[in-house]
Amino acid sequence: MRIFVGNRLLSALLASAALVATAGFAEAKTVIHVMHQGDPGWVKAYGDVATRFEAANPDVDIEMIYAPHDAYNEKFSAAVMAKQLPDIMELDAPFLANYVWSGYLQPVKPLIDKDLLDDMTDSNIAQGTYPIDKDLYAIGLTDSSVVLYGNKKYLEAIGARIPKSVDDAWTREEFEGYLEKLSKLEGVKWPIDTFRGYGIKTEWITYAYGPLLESAGCDLIDRKTWKASGTLDGEACVKALTMMQDWVKKGWVVPTSSGTNQFYAEGQPAALAMGGHWFYAEASAAMKDNIVVMPLPKIGDKGVSPNGTWIWGISATSENPEIAGKFLSFLLKDKEYREYAKSQSAYPGLKSFAAESPLYAEGGPLAVAFEQASKTAIARPPHPAYPTITSAFMQAVDKIFNGGDAQEALTAAAKKIDEDIEDNAGYPPFDEQK
């Protein structure tokens, strides 16, 4: 076990050099570096857990390394290039296959408390599992989903049917019919906010729009042959993206320039919002009983919803993996951390956390979101080329929404993805997964 002298301890030693000289030896601490992202509330929650862990384990320093959400992967790449991987890293679930294939992560089952492993939901296990060896490489308190939020007053004004479960989600005909009616309703500036304001530097477009396209028979890549050409630029995808482009052309969608809170902003100018579960806390606080939560619409024959969120892995280069696992187990069980997560309408990834979360229980306002996890959730393609897949797809969607030709944009994206896979010789052993 390698022993580090942590920064905080080092500062303390320098400030009391005379005392150290007379005392003889200072106690060294093991330092665990934790790289993470998150808004200020989550950053504080992680920091508070680290402080409590240090109090309970006085021989360990937890050094939190913050990276902005939009620049997280760039900062992680810089750490890789500098050969300074943290002991623990937060990672976006669809990137897990790339990280494991690249040798950055190690299996966590031997390092995490067994009661936590037994507590994981199936969806949480799926988002942390590497498809080649079926081993678990990451764990989290939470998972995620996207639902369709509605302004009850507007929906009642147009006589819209309000679905109560995944099984009676709106069809495409209903969805587009309601969008058209809402576009003509007094008080509604935009029928729907699809959160274009998140831009193309996050996972939003692939995460949230991908399921609508999959519902229409499209996919980002053929998940057996791992070829994008013929699938991403196939007829189903071209038609689906042309459909969404048409919504934009008609002025039904909140534009990028108008931000991401038009659903509950003053005057409530957007009637619907295709938003993440995390959006509920803010929206419900502003709209009270005027908010309804519905499943994502079925564009084709089946309903599809997303899953996957930011979860925690232990790097393959960590020289203190047992202590890293001990900290993660402490984090996932920490009562105050869980209370903060509940206040943010966090989506349960542990069964015990689900039991503590009345929002997601049967009859709860987000019950339909939790129902989607077991009935319609489909993970993003679990392949090492995923960073290229999502980047190419998001750029294509951005071009299409800004008036570009759908066939041309998707063909260029598919070609870029296939070239990346060919450049890496099929990412063996993924090339054998036919």
Side-chain angles (χ1 to χ4, degrees), residues 9 13 25-29 58-59:
L9 177 59
L13 289 173
F25 298 99
E27 182 184 0
K29 294 189 178 185
D59 58 338

Side-chain angles (χ1 to χ4, degrees), residues 349-404:
L350 297 181
K351 297 167 192 169
S352 60
F353 186 51
E356 299 167 9
S357 305
L359 281 177
Y360 296 93
E362 185 174 352
L366 286 172
V368 73
F370 206 44
E371 184 187 4
Q372 287 187 153
S374 59
K375 292 186 175 179
T376 59
I378 295 180
R380 285 157 278 179
H383 191 277
Y386 184 78
T388 299
I389 295 171
T390 185
S391 174
F393 175 69
M394 288 193 292
Q395 290 175 28
V397 172
D398 192 50
K399 287 180 182 175
I400 294 165
F401 279 14
N402 284 294

Side-chain angles (χ1 to χ4, degrees), residues 91-167:
L91 61 105
D92 203 359
F95 289 78
L96 183 135
N98 179 272
Y99 290 154
V100 178
W101 185 85
S102 300
Y104 301 149
L105 297 176
Q106 62 178 291
V108 297
K109 274 186 181 177
L111 307 171
I112 301 295
D113 289 355
K114 187 177 183 305
D115 58 333
L116 284 169
L117 298 173
D118 293 341
D119 198 20
M120 297 176 73
T121 63
D122 290 343
S123 181
N124 197 3
I125 294 171
Q127 68 176 338
T129 299
Y130 184 56
I132 295 298
D133 61 14
K134 314 296 184 190
D135 214 337
L136 187 73
Y137 285 82
I139 184 172
L141 175 68
T142 60
D143 199 341
S144 72
S145 193
V146 170
V147 293
L148 187 65
Y149 295 99
N151 182 308
K152 187 176 180 181
K153 180 179 66 177
Y154 294 146
L155 295 179
E156 288 179 345
I158 63 168
R161 181 178 68 85
I162 299 179
K164 301 297 183 186
S165 77
V166 171
D167 299 328

Side-chain angles (χ1 to χ4, degrees), residues 24-44:
F25 298 99
E27 182 184 0
K29 294 189 178 185
T30 302
V31 178
I32 297 296
H33 297 89
V34 181
M35 186 171 172
H36 67 98
Q37 51 85 57
D39 65 26
W42 286 101
V43 171
K44 182 179 185 305

